[in-house]
Amino acid sequence: MNEDTTRAIEIGLNAVIVSVLGPAPMVLVVGSGAREALPFGPFDPLRHRTFEIGLRSWVEAQTALNIGHVEQLYTFGDRGRHSQPDDARAHVVSVGYLALTRQSPESEEALTMANANWRPWYGYFPWEDWRDGRPDMLDAFILPALEQWTTAGGPGPDARRGQRRKDRLRLSFGGDGSPWDEERVLERYELLYEAGLLEEARRDGRPCVLDTPIALGHPMQFDHRRILATAISRLRGKLKYRPVVFELMPPEFTLTELQGTVEAISGRHLHKQNFRRLVETAELVEPTGAASTSTGGRPAALFRFRREILRERPAPGLRVGGR
Amino acid sequence: MNEDTTRAIEIGLNAVIVSVLGPAPMVLVVGSGAREALPFGPFDPLRHRTFEIGLRSWVEAQTALNIGHVEQLYTFGDRGRHSQPDDARAHVVSVGYLALTRQSPESEEALTMANANWRPWYGYFPWEDWRDGRPDMLDAFILPALEQWTTAGGPGPDARRGQRRKDRLRLSFGGDGSPWDEERVLERYELLYEAGLLEEARRDGRPCVLDTPIALGHPMQFDHRRILATAISRLRGKLKYRPVVFELMPPEFTLTELQGTVEAISGRHLHKQNFRRLVETAELVEPTGAASTSTGGRPAALFRFRREILRERPAPGLRVGGR
DNA sequence: TCAAAAGTGTTATCCTTACACCCATGT
DNA sequence: ACATGGGTGTAAGGATAACACTTTTGA
């Protein structure tokens, strides 16, 4: 129980690097087409004392991005599931990280050199964007296919399994009294994977419930879309109790821009007045005095993040409600 | 950015195995005295497909415990800080796990064989137990020593550092308008470590602010007390949105026993009526019909966990309030 | 003057917190 | 009868969610 013999394994760091551009939350990917993957870097314990230092080191060297908030997501040691069956990297353990940043013109060249690109994250998870209401694809494709998955096998010995699937479906995708919870991105992804509705599932040799297979959203290499799902879940949750949005904002911004960024991440439309009151009573921002050159209507007052709040309040986040 | 070269490292799994006995939350440790450590097991990717399977395998084999809920805490890759300076295991990455279980007479023998023992976790964190009110040691030793730490260096160039320390102190230990947040176990531990008030800090060669050094709480080997702090933080938080308490309860229990377990973990005293209403409106339990042979007063009704709730509600936890 | 976006005041509702009191049993 | 712990009803306060309306600019 206290022995020290362990087997040699390799450690890799996967980074979900997020920024928001206008209304689109973006993630940095390398490669293109069906070969898109999250940026990946080795961890060398001799050169870097901690994972986070190692991560910052190679990310900043290769992308010229200024990484703000960084947090560990999860460590994946899976063989088999969510990876190629005969994966040469089977003994690579990957530690997933979430990093928040802002796009800067200076980093453009470095990104091109590294064959890295910003991609809207809802390209990978189109069913997660509820800003313009419930996505049509849910009722048109996803839910029917998942219903079919819960009843596959029919009555008899498979009935209990079907009931469990129905329960999981209701909890993760809502309906039947259960609400849609925007934080359950990972659970929804895993359900879709198990039902064989994702390209990753087909690739891993899993059966599909449908006669004419559909592949939802843009796929990624290895289990990277799952790591991205983990990151979105975590970020959507964290928004509510830590002021992490500001890592994605420029130094000065209007309240509408701030709301737009929160909406981009949470995938929900927010109630304007309530959002403003929330920001105000939380004392998260202060006016700079200046106003933005209006983009159409009345000019908006500019605000900046009140860093002092970090020292004043215990959990300063934006517990955004609905609509 | 997409290269595959990684350095060979070893992976170990550290388990924080928790149970509650009467009013005492317990953690399983191996060794004794200043050499106490968390149970540790190697991860062999050839034998086990995932970390969790590997963990369950060696824990159940060696302790004969039935492990219920298991969750990954954090992956530590640190060299230096929080570990021996010339640590022979410098290239061991340890993945921390939290596991919940109940003590069973059958596992006693296996535990003895493995030199493992249940220890009350507040022995390692005496300042975290607020069930009988604010612990005296906070005002008697801890806060004065930490105040001194914030002013060490006096005015001048060290003043800004002192201000940052003051802010961290207020946020993690409360006071000055900030409340005590029982979930900030890890932050408090790290502050005490940095101030040199823990045996682990002395061992790592860190200076102490006090002339007569004090060492708070019982120490552990390596950075294991830090991992335990992570586990307590996580568990105290999780209690509020997932019905994990029941993993620590026998199949039938009284509401007072349930409250006692929640109090043991959260380290707070709870308001009886409100706790009961909370449990009732959350529909987390159902009466068995039987009553316990009273331990003094009126016999208490026995309840069991309503497993169905897992399928009914999205986030069935006990969002316990104060007092 | 009209479109477009900024910005505000007020109310209904629920959830949290706290109060104080009654009940059933063993000694 | 009384000590001990089990069990309950109800009201005050605060946070949340929703309502509709006014203001300032550019075209």
Side-chain angles (χ1 to χ4, degrees):
Chain A
M1 182 168 230
N2 209 8
E3 51 190 313
D4 275 60
T5 54
T6 44
R7 181 174 292 271
I9 301 178
E10 301 185 335
I11 300 266
L13 302 175
N14 280 113
V16 178
I17 304 173
V18 174
S19 69
V20 175
L21 190 64
M26 311 286 262
V27 60
L28 196 68
V29 301
V30 292
S32 57
R35 297 209 152 274
E36 286 184 356
L38 292 174
F40 173 87
F43 172 64
D44 181 348
L46 294 179
R47 289 183 48 208
H48 301 294
R49 216 184 68 239
T50 67
F51 290 147
E52 192 176 316
I53 294 171
L55 181 89
R56 295 193 112 98
S57 158
W58 65 256
V59 169
E60 300 192 353
Q62 306 225 7
T63 66
L65 288 168
N66 271 323
I67 300 295
H69 174 85
V70 166
E71 89 180 70
Q72 194 183 100
L73 288 173
Y74 203 79
T75 302
F76 301 89
D78 291 34
R79 224 177 347 117
R81 218 190 99 139
H82 285 283
S83 65
Q84 320 294 38
D86 296 318
D87 191 345
R89 293 164 58 199
H91 295 178
V92 174
V93 165
S94 71
V95 185
Y97 271 84
L98 167 65
L100 304 182
T101 188
R102 272 174 286 127
Q103 294 186 29
S104 66
E106 305 88 68
S107 63
E108 277 306 306
E109 192 191 352
L111 293 181
T112 309
M113 296 275 294
N115 193 24
N117 292 289
W118 291 110
R119 298 270 189 237
W121 82 24
Y122 291 122
Y124 307 99
F125 301 98
W127 56 89
E128 295 290 348
D129 188 359
W130 284 53
R131 285 175 293 177
D132 296 317
R134 181 182 177 86
D136 291 335
M137 67 190 312
L138 276 168
D139 298 310
F141 305 112
I142 297 181
L143 290 179
L146 288 174
E147 305 279 3
Q148 194 173 329
W149 172 70
T150 63
T151 52
D158 291 330
R160 286 196 68 79
R161 189 191 59 181
Q163 187 55 49
R164 280 198 305 275
R165 287 181 174 182
K166 276 191 175 57
D167 294 332
R168 287 179 61 200
L169 175 56
R170 189 164 35 76
L171 284 176
S172 50
F173 281 86
D176 213 15
S178 293
W180 176 274
D181 179 350
E182 82 268 8
E183 291 186 38
R184 298 185 183 258
V185 183
L186 180 60
E187 281 153 275
R188 286 187 283 268
Y189 176 80
E190 303 214 307
L191 221 62
L192 292 171
Y193 177 88
E194 286 181 50
L197 300 176
L198 305 175
E199 170 64 19
E200 283 88 338
R202 192 201 55 72
R203 200 178 61 195
D204 294 356
R206 296 191 128 256
C208 176
V209 281
L210 300 176
D211 303 325
T212 54
I214 54 175
L216 298 163
H218 196 288
M220 279 185 165
Q221 279 204 307
F222 310 112
D223 60 348
H224 288 192
R225 195 150 54 138
R226 186 176 163 217
I227 299 176
L228 179 54
T230 311
I232 297 175
S233 289
R234 186 75 70 87
L235 186 50
R236 285 182 169 181
K238 196 126 199 171
L239 220 54
K240 293 172 184 155
Y241 60 95
R242 280 295 138 103
V244 283
V245 222
F246 301 102
E247 306 276 350
L248 300 164
M249 303 297 297
E252 302 198 349
F253 47 84
T254 68
L255 291 185
T256 304
E257 285 163 355
L258 183 63
Q259 179 175 349
T261 301
V262 174
E263 289 175 335
I265 293 168
S266 65
R268 303 197 291 164
H269 179 66
L270 302 177
H271 191 274
K272 186 173 60 156
Q273 295 95 316
N274 290 344
F275 178 81
R276 279 158 188 257
R277 177 174 20 251
L278 202 61
V279 171
E280 188 179 18
T281 60
E283 298 178 290
L284 284 166
V285 300
E286 62 192 359
T288 66
S292 79
T293 82
S294 72
T295 56
R298 167 176 169 177
L302 285 171
F303 292 82
R304 73 171 75 87
F305 176 43
R306 273 190 69 239
R307 299 213 142 269
E308 304 89 302
I309 197 66
L310 293 167
R311 304 189 266 159
E312 292 167 7
R313 268 196 226 302
L318 288 165
R319 305 198 59 169
V320 288
R323 192 76 265 263
Chain B
M1 183 168 230
N2 208 8
E3 52 191 313
D4 276 58
T5 53
T6 44
R7 183 172 292 271
I9 301 177
E10 301 185 335
I11 300 268
L13 302 175
N14 279 112
V16 178
I17 304 173
V18 173
S19 69
V20 174
L21 190 64
M26 311 285 263
V27 60
L28 196 69
V29 301
V30 293
S32 58
R35 297 207 152 275
E36 285 184 356
L38 292 175
F40 173 86
F43 171 65
D44 181 347
L46 294 180
R47 289 184 48 209
H48 302 293
R49 217 186 67 238
T50 67
F51 290 146
E52 193 175 316
I53 293 171
L55 181 90
R56 294 193 113 96
S57 158
W58 66 257
V59 169
E60 299 191 354
Q62 306 226 6
T63 66
L65 287 167
N66 270 322
I67 300 295
H69 175 86
V70 166
E71 89 179 70
Q72 193 184 100
L73 288 172
Y74 204 80
T75 302
F76 300 90
D78 291 36
R79 226 179 342 120
R81 220 190 97 141
H82 285 284
S83 65
Q84 320 294 36
D86 296 319
D87 191 344
R89 293 162 60 200
H91 294 180
V92 175
V93 165
S94 70
V95 184
Y97 270 84
L98 166 65
L100 303 182
T101 189
R102 273 174 284 127
Q103 295 186 29
S104 67
E106 305 88 69
S107 64
E108 277 305 307
E109 192 191 349
L111 293 182
T112 309
M113 296 274 293
N115 193 26
N117 292 288
W118 290 111
R119 299 270 187 239
W121 82 24
Y122 291 122
Y124 307 99
F125 301 98
W127 57 89
E128 294 291 347
D129 188 359
W130 284 53
R131 285 175 293 177
D132 297 317
R134 183 182 176 87
D136 291 336
M137 67 191 309
L138 276 168
D139 297 311
F141 305 112
I142 297 180
L143 289 179
L146 287 175
E147 305 278 4
Q148 194 172 330
W149 172 70
T150 63
T151 53
D158 291 330
R160 286 196 68 79
R161 190 191 60 184
Q163 187 56 49
R164 279 198 306 275
R165 287 182 173 180
K166 275 192 174 59
D167 293 333
R168 287 180 61 200
L169 174 57
R170 187 163 37 74
L171 284 176
S172 51
F173 281 86
D176 211 16
S178 293
W180 176 273
D181 179 350
E182 82 268 8
E183 291 186 39
R184 297 185 185 260
V185 183
L186 179 61
E187 280 154 272
R188 286 186 283 269
Y189 176 82
E190 302 215 306
L191 221 62
L192 292 171
Y193 177 90
E194 285 182 49
L197 300 175
L198 304 175
E199 169 64 19
E200 283 88 339
R202 193 201 54 71
R203 201 178 61 194
D204 294 356
R206 295 191 128 255
C208 175
V209 281
L210 300 176
D211 303 326
T212 54
I214 53 174
L216 298 163
H218 196 289
M220 280 187 165
Q221 279 203 309
F222 310 112
D223 60 348
H224 287 191
R225 192 148 57 135
R226 186 177 162 217
I227 299 176
L228 179 55
T230 310
I232 297 174
S233 290
R234 186 74 70 88
L235 186 51
R236 284 182 170 182
K238 197 126 199 170
L239 220 54
K240 293 173 185 157
Y241 60 95
R242 280 294 138 102
V244 283
V245 224
F246 301 101
E247 306 276 350
L248 300 163
M249 302 298 297
E252 302 197 348
F253 47 83
T254 68
L255 291 184
T256 305
E257 285 164 355
L258 182 64
Q259 180 175 349
T261 302
V262 174
E263 288 175 335
I265 291 167
S266 66
R268 302 198 291 165
H269 180 67
L270 301 178
H271 191 274
K272 186 173 58 155
Q273 297 93 316
N274 291 343
F275 178 80
R276 280 159 187 257
R277 177 175 18 250
L278 201 60
V279 171
E280 188 179 18
T281 61
E283 298 178 290
L284 283 166
V285 299
E286 62 192 357
T288 66
S292 79
T293 81
S294 73
T295 56
R298 166 177 170 178
L302 286 171
F303 292 82
R304 72 170 76 86
F305 176 44
R306 274 190 69 238
R307 300 212 143 270
E308 303 89 304
I309 197 65
L310 292 167
R311 303 189 267 154
E312 293 167 6
R313 267 196 227 300
L318 288 165
R319 304 199 59 169
V320 288
R323 213 6 329 236

